[in-house]
Amino acid sequence: MDPVYRVVNGLGRAALRALALDVRWTGIEHLPRTGPVVVAATHVSYPDFVFIERAAVSAGRYLRFMTRHDVWEVPVVPWFMDRMRHVPVNRQVPAHAYLRARSLLQEGEAISGFPEAGISYSFTVRSLMGGLVSLARETGAPVVPVAVWGTQRIFSVGVPAPPIDLTRNRRVDLAFGAPMYVAPGDDVTGRTHDLGHALTDLLEGLQLLPHHRPRPGEVATWYPAHLGGHAPTRQQAQRLDVMPFNAVRPSWGPDLDAFDASG
């Protein structure tokens, strides 16, 4: 099964070994070994999917990622993406991606996506799209939240934009949370708020681990401002984050007045 996925995943493991990254995860028991599941992940760096995929494969699950459609415009890449059954997402016309993801869930597959629809400049959980919760409500698949931290120091956004940092022996942590079930009659917006709170709890739990905290006096543009770092605040990040108009505004995390003030 999934011979192309196995090859690509093997190449990913080789890259992790080349960088001597110390990748660890907790809560993997929350990821069902069989049946449909929606994995909803925080997004703090461009290669987040590599680490989520690595943890999921350790549990025997091959995730079908919902990915920006322009990835399919890169030469050779579409051949691999299609054979791994990943789903192209065009935010201007998202219906095709939704229907494709729903079909895969109905086949018993595991779908993974980033409900923030982009990397958060503040390294907090920003506004969320409701699509993953909608998929869970329609198919009965549980939503498993997962947070990733440490990858933002490898390749992420920033002000000014940071270079790729391939420093060896970095620590990367992932935390899988308890499944969230969405009943047919549940309000998608309300349950998306629940997801935002769950993701925030998981992410801050990782950010507060001693080995991820900045050293005293260190200028840490890769660490959230409300925890003592120097990344943009949520209010500053609103000018940098590009969000679809129908995203669910946060009721989770710090500086909620920044969102209230902006309407």
Side-chain angles (χ1 to χ4, degrees), residues 187-227:
D187 175 66
V188 169
T189 298
R191 298 299 274 149
T192 300
H193 281 284
D194 293 339
L195 176 61
H197 285 283
L199 289 172
T200 294
D201 289 344
L202 290 170
L203 181 60
E204 289 197 356
L206 297 180
Q207 291 169 333
L208 290 171
L209 290 172
H211 55 267
H212 282 305
R213 303 205 66 162
R215 297 185 301 273
E218 179 180 6
V219 177
T221 58
W222 44 267
Y223 199 74
H226 76 286
L227 296 179

Side-chain angles (χ1 to χ4, degrees), residues 66-223:
M66 301 184 73
T67 309
R68 288 172 57 103
H69 73 285
D70 47 11
V71 171
W72 272 256
E73 298 172 6
V74 179
V76 181
V77 169
W79 188 91
F80 291 95
M81 298 295 282
D82 291 340
R83 280 153 184 79
M84 290 187 286
R85 308 190 80 187
H86 297 320
V87 180
V89 180
N90 186 336
R91 288 193 343 201
Q92 302 303 315
V93 283
H96 176 269
Y98 184 91
L99 294 174
R100 177 61 179 151
R102 185 182 67 181
S103 176
L104 289 169
L105 288 169
Q106 290 169 341
E107 294 177 28
E109 293 280 11
I111 290 291
S112 184
F114 299 102
E116 294 172 272
I119 298 173
S120 169
Y121 277 82
S122 64
F123 299 125
T124 64
V125 180
R126 66 182 196 172
S127 300
L128 299 180
M129 303 301 296
L132 295 181
V133 171
S134 293
L135 284 168
R137 185 178 68 170
E138 187 170 356
T139 64
V143 180
V144 174
V146 57
V148 187
W149 191 243
T151 57
Q152 84 287 353
R153 301 192 69 179
I154 300 170
F155 185 25
S156 186
V157 296
V159 183
I164 298 175
D165 187 345
L166 301 181
T167 301
R168 292 168 58 82
N169 299 308
R170 287 202 186 281
R171 174 73 175 265
V172 173
D173 283 279
L174 298 89
F176 289 77
M180 183 180 83
Y181 292 88
V182 185
D186 283 354
D187 175 66
V188 169
T189 298
R191 298 299 274 149
T192 300
H193 281 284
D194 293 339
L195 176 61
H197 285 283
L199 289 172
T200 294
D201 289 344
L202 290 170
L203 181 60
E204 289 197 356
L206 297 180
Q207 291 169 333
L208 290 171
L209 290 172
H211 55 267
H212 282 305
R213 303 205 66 162
R215 297 185 301 273
E218 179 180 6
V219 177
T221 58
W222 44 267
Y223 199 74

Side-chain angles (χ1 to χ4, degrees), residues 52-66:
I52 298 167
E53 174 188 78
R54 178 71 188 92
V57 169
S58 77
R61 294 309 303 256
Y62 288 82
L63 303 180
R64 316 304 174 183
F65 281 90
M66 301 184 73

Side-chain angles (χ1 to χ4, degrees), residues 40-57:
T42 60
H43 205 8
V44 297
S45 79
Y46 295 108
D48 284 338
F49 71 95
V50 174
F51 300 90
I52 298 167
E53 174 188 78
R54 178 71 188 92
V57 169

Side-chain angles (χ1 to χ4, degrees), residues 25-34 55-56 58-59 144 175-179 181:
W25 49 82
T26 60
I28 195 67
E29 67 275 7
H30 293 307
L31 183 64
R33 299 309 192 257
T34 60
S58 77
V144 174
F176 289 77
Y181 292 88

